[in-house]
């Protein structure tokens, strides 16, 4: 077996994705984060999909051209009878370019996205008709961080589709819609036949559906057939770009959220890996799409979405505290002295920043790290060297300055049951866990809790004194800290309890028992290794929950 063949079988990534990771300088992702992509859906994903009002789907038509569409239905139209199956009680309209392909059974990529709460999960598999429904046999499932998602509330109306306009170029009104969009969906794929024709034998072929978001105008319309799309920092899996390296065909979907219209495009893409004259200074790469076919379907959906143009919360920085060499906390209060909306420990805050010399507002989401019972919010943010938002916050935001935000959101919270909890974090992943620790101590419950944190050494160890004080206030909480690269002045048994990285074996050895719940937060590779390791140790997937994040930008 050659090393190339072995790499294909040891990872869920195909050769194109591995090449994209190599070009971006993140080839370690394939080694450390591969197990983050599962061959089945965890319980939280099954529940999430089953509660959605719509599903984004990418697939190829009879000519192999990728398209992206939406399946929608009444409450409960998506169900999950088992971890490898979704049933969808919906059908595509005759004007949809994927209607015939999905009706015949095909490989698909799926994106479940909750615009109101900014949660999203992805799955890939094969869809086939089954009576009046569609059945999906899921082969891959994984979550995404909520960056770049624009919050929107939805409602249903009586559907009144108005047919379709089909062309080979973009009309002026269509170009204007794209130029003003802050959200679209992209579909790419490597079919089994194409993979075999290219000499591959990867099980990771198929289609991917993905979300892209940014400030209005982030998609640049060059002419009636050419679009430029910025590629921002993300989860580093490079599913979309990896597919395009194997097959440059691409599908795009722009939804008119106010009218339910769908503008579906298919074409070919070219990747600029080092753009020198990008219209977007945040872009790490550019995707240039040449449009080959356009299907414009007014009022195609019964769903309508509404977004508040202005973030409703006006917050003032009342304190700024350096927590470590890279992490700084910002304490925020209501500008007008009012009471802030409550939040559940583990939730995040979506902030919108007015950064000088940049058009529009820059949005980012950060976990709330303080007590949910405090009168103020606390965001503890790691400075990223290439991060536009984090550098602005660290270098320019001071006490007395003001920012805007949307109400706290997120589903990564303390489970309501009384089962033992193991809270595990790495680096800045400590932030939601710290809020959970504040809540558990304030409740003064006897629920057994293990607080496990990993960092490099004493200089990078944020919140050490705060955690020690919280743990000391409860007889039910045990703290264990790991240093992966302790300095000479760091004292074992005092500053940290163990040297090295946290392993699943370490967590099981804590003795939390078979009923324990494990909550994990950190980079994708950290989550992948621990979640896969815990399952290998006999911990059920339903007892493992996690929150991932990409570079905060």
């Amino acid at each position: 077996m050659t090393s190339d063949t072995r790499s294909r079988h040891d990872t869920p990534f195909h050769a194109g994705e591995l090449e994209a990771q190599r070009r971006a300088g993140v080839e370690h992702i394939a080694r450390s984060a591969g197990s983050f992509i599962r061959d089945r859906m965890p319980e939280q994903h099954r529940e999430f999909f089953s509660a959605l009002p719509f599903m984004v789907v990418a697939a190829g038509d009879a000519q192999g051209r990728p398209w992206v569409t939406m399946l929608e239905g009444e409450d409960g139209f998506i169900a999950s009878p088992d971890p490898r199956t979704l049933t969808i009680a919906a059908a595509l309209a005759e004007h949809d370019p994927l209607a015939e392909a999905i009706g015949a059974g095909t490989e698909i990529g799926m994106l479940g996205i909750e615009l109101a709460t900014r949660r999203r999960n992805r799955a890939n598999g094969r869809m086939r008709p089954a009576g009046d429904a569609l059945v999906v046999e899921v082969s891959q499932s994984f979550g995404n961080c909520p960056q770049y998602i624009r919050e929107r509330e939805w409602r249903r109306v009586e559907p009144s589709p108005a047919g379709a306009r089909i062309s080979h170029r973009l009309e002026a009104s269509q170009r204007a819609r794209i130029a003003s969009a802050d959200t679209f969906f992209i579909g790419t794929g490597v079919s089994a036949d194409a993979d075999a024709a290219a000499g591959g034998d990867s099980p990771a072929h198929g289609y991917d559906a993905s979300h892209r978001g940014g400030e209005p105008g982030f998609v640049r319309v060059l002419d009636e057939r050419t679009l430029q799309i910025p590629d921002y920092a993300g989860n580093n899996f490079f599913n979309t770009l990896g597919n395009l390296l194997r097959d440059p065909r691409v599908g795009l979907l722009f939804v008119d959220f106010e009218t339910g219209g769908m503008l579906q495009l298919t074409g070919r893409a070219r990747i600029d890996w080092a753009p020198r004259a990008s219209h977007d200074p945040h872009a790490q790469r550019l995707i240039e799409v040449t449009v080959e076919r356009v299907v414009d379907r007014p009022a195609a959906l019964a769903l309508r979405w509404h977004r508040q143009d202005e973030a409703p919360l006006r917050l003032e920085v009342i304190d700024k505290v350096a927590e470590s060499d890279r992490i700084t906390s910002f304490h925020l209060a209501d500008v007008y002295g009012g009471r802030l909306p409550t939040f559940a420990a583990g939730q995040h805050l979506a902030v919108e920043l007015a950064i000088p010399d940049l058009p529009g507002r820059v949005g980012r989401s950060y976990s709330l790290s303080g007590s949910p019972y405090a009168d103020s919010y606390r965001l503890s943010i790691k400075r990223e060297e290439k991060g536009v938002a984090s550098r602005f916050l660290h270098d320019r935001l001071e006490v007395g300055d003001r920012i805007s935000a949307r109400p706290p959101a997120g589903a990564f919270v303390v489970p309501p049951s009384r089962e033992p909890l193991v809270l595990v974090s790495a680096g800045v992943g400590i932030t939601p866990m710290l809020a959970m620790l504040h809540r558990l101590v304030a409740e003064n419950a006897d629920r057994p809790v293990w607080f496990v944190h990993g960092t490099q050494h004493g200089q990078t160890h944020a919140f050490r004194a705060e955690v020690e004080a919280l743990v000391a206030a409860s007889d039910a909480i045990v703290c264990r800290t790991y240093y992966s690269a302790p300095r000479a002045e760091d004292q074992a048994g005092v500053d940290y309890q163990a040297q090295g990285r946290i392993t699943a074996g370490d967590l099981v050895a804590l003795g939390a028992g078979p009923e324990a719940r494990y909550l994990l937060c950190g980079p994708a590779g950290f989550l992948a290794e621990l979640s896969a390791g815990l399952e290998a140790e006999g911990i059920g997937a339903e007892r493992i929950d996690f929150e991932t994040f990409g570079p905060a930008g």
Side-chain angles (χ1 to χ4, degrees):
M1 180 183 291
T2 66
S3 59
D4 181 59
T5 302
R6 184 168 57 251
S7 71
R8 285 197 296 269
H9 287 294
D10 292 346
T11 172
F13 303 114
H14 61 64
E17 293 164 326
L18 296 173
E19 172 63 14
Q21 293 166 10
R22 185 193 66 78
R23 292 194 188 192
V26 294
E27 50 268 77
H28 63 284
I29 289 294
R31 295 189 297 271
S32 64
S35 56
F36 187 68
I37 301 176
R38 303 166 182 261
D39 63 358
R40 63 196 181 283
M41 296 174 289
E43 186 64 27
Q44 57 265 39
H45 286 199
R46 297 173 64 197
E47 294 175 354
F48 173 77
F49 285 130
S50 298
L52 292 173
F54 71 92
M55 177 83 80
V56 179
V57 173
D61 63 13
Q63 289 75 43
R65 299 173 300 192
W67 295 90
V68 186
T69 191
M70 276 190 182
L71 290 166
E72 63 174 348
E74 297 295 328
D75 292 349
F77 86 108
I78 302 174
S80 177
D82 61 68
R84 288 186 169 88
T85 308
L86 289 173
T87 61
I88 304 175
L92 293 177
E94 60 176 328
H95 300 296
D96 195 294
L98 286 179
E100 293 185 4
I102 287 180
T106 186
E107 292 176 303
I108 66 165
M110 297 174 292
L111 171 67
I113 185 167
E114 207 171 56
L115 295 175
T117 63
R118 306 173 73 249
R119 293 175 65 197
R120 59 176 170 173
N121 291 307
R122 289 166 61 178
N124 301 341
R126 181 173 290 275
M127 179 177 281
R128 57 179 171 81
D132 295 332
L134 298 166
V135 175
V136 182
E137 298 168 359
V138 174
S139 58
Q140 289 188 336
S141 176
F142 57 102
N144 275 158
C145 66
Q147 295 288 19
Y148 313 116
I149 298 177
R150 300 291 175 159
E151 295 177 4
R152 285 180 164 90
E153 300 289 340
W154 62 269
R155 61 186 175 89
R156 289 191 180 94
V157 302
E158 190 66 28
S160 55
R165 299 199 309 275
I166 301 173
S167 64
H168 297 282
R169 55 182 51 84
L170 294 163
E171 301 171 1
S173 62
Q174 294 165 345
R175 297 197 298 271
R177 283 159 58 187
I178 293 172
S180 64
D182 61 21
T183 298
F184 75 95
F185 303 98
I186 184 169
T188 56
V190 176
S191 69
D193 292 340
D195 187 56
D201 62 350
S202 169
H205 54 69
Y207 284 85
D208 285 292
S210 184
H211 160 274
R212 292 289 189 274
E215 297 302 316
F218 79 112
V219 179
R220 187 180 186 186
V221 183
L222 297 183
D223 55 46
E224 61 187 6
R225 292 194 62 196
T226 313
L227 307 177
Q228 278 188 343
I229 301 169
D231 188 58
Y232 303 127
N235 61 14
N236 288 328
F237 291 171
F238 287 95
N239 307 113
T240 296
L241 298 193
N243 286 343
L244 292 176
L245 286 177
R246 300 297 297 273
D247 186 337
R249 293 179 293 184
V250 65
L252 307 177
L253 169 63
F254 292 86
V255 176
D256 187 326
F257 292 105
E258 294 184 358
T259 68
M262 292 204 293
L263 181 61
Q264 296 166 278
L265 317 176
T266 192
R268 291 181 178 267
R270 180 183 65 84
I271 305 168
D272 184 348
W273 290 91
R276 296 181 179 179
S278 170
H279 66 285
D280 189 332
H282 307 158
Q284 298 191 355
R285 292 153 293 272
L286 277 180
I287 305 172
E288 185 169 290
V289 175
T290 300
V291 176
E292 296 179 341
R293 192 169 178 84
V294 180
V295 177
D296 192 351
R297 302 167 56 209
L301 299 168
L303 291 171
R304 302 290 186 270
W305 290 263
H306 170 73
R307 170 178 168 80
Q308 289 181 305
D309 291 333
E310 294 291 331
L313 301 183
R314 299 290 183 270
L315 306 175
E316 180 176 334
V317 180
I318 58 174
D319 201 4
K320 181 178 179 180
V321 180
E323 307 289 1
S324 73
D325 64 336
R326 299 285 299 279
I327 299 174
T328 294
S329 287
F330 299 85
H331 296 254
L332 307 169
D334 183 81
V335 165
Y336 308 108
R339 186 175 180 83
L340 294 172
T342 60
F343 71 94
Q347 290 189 313
H348 56 257
L349 192 72
V351 302
E352 297 184 357
L353 308 172
I355 299 180
D357 303 323
L358 292 181
R361 290 184 175 269
V362 176
R364 294 292 186 270
S365 292
Y366 300 105
S367 294
L368 288 151
S369 63
S371 169
Y373 304 109
D375 294 330
S376 61
Y377 291 155
R378 182 175 69 178
L379 301 179
S380 302
I381 299 166
K382 179 183 177 183
R383 189 185 194 278
E384 301 285 352
E385 290 305 317
K386 297 183 179 180
V388 173
S390 65
R391 286 190 292 112
F392 169 79
L393 291 166
H394 275 248
D395 301 344
R396 304 181 68 169
L397 196 69
E398 301 296 340
V399 173
D401 289 341
R402 297 178 175 185
I403 63 174
S404 299
R406 297 185 182 272
F412 184 69
V413 297
V414 176
S417 62
R418 304 295 300 170
E419 300 156 318
L421 274 180
V422 183
L423 307 179
V424 190
S425 58
V428 75
I430 193 174
T431 53
M433 303 307 193
L434 194 54
M436 293 181 189
L437 191 62
H438 273 281
R439 173 193 156 173
L440 293 164
V441 171
E443 290 177 347
N444 195 27
D446 57 359
R447 182 179 193 174
V449 177
W450 286 261
F451 190 89
V452 185
H453 180 62
T455 187
Q456 291 178 300
H457 46 66
Q459 191 174 0
T460 63
H461 189 177
F463 306 108
R464 175 186 162 188
E466 183 174 336
V467 170
E468 289 177 347
L470 287 168
V471 172
S474 172
D475 294 331
I477 299 175
V478 176
C479 177
R480 189 163 179 81
T481 303
Y482 287 68
Y483 281 7
S484 60
R487 304 168 301 170
E489 58 266 41
D490 294 328
Q491 299 182 53
V494 177
D495 300 307
Y496 63 99
Q497 286 72 52
Q499 182 173 344
R501 299 183 183 278
I502 303 167
T503 69
D506 294 332
L507 299 179
V508 173
L510 295 172
E515 300 302 315
R517 294 287 297 271
Y518 294 80
L519 273 61
L520 319 176
C521 187
F526 170 80
L527 300 180
E529 292 175 359
L530 285 186
S531 59
L534 285 169
E535 290 187 44
E537 293 278 354
I539 306 299
E542 72 281 359
R543 298 200 163 274
I544 306 168
D545 197 3
F546 45 76
E547 180 92 319
T548 186
F549 52 82

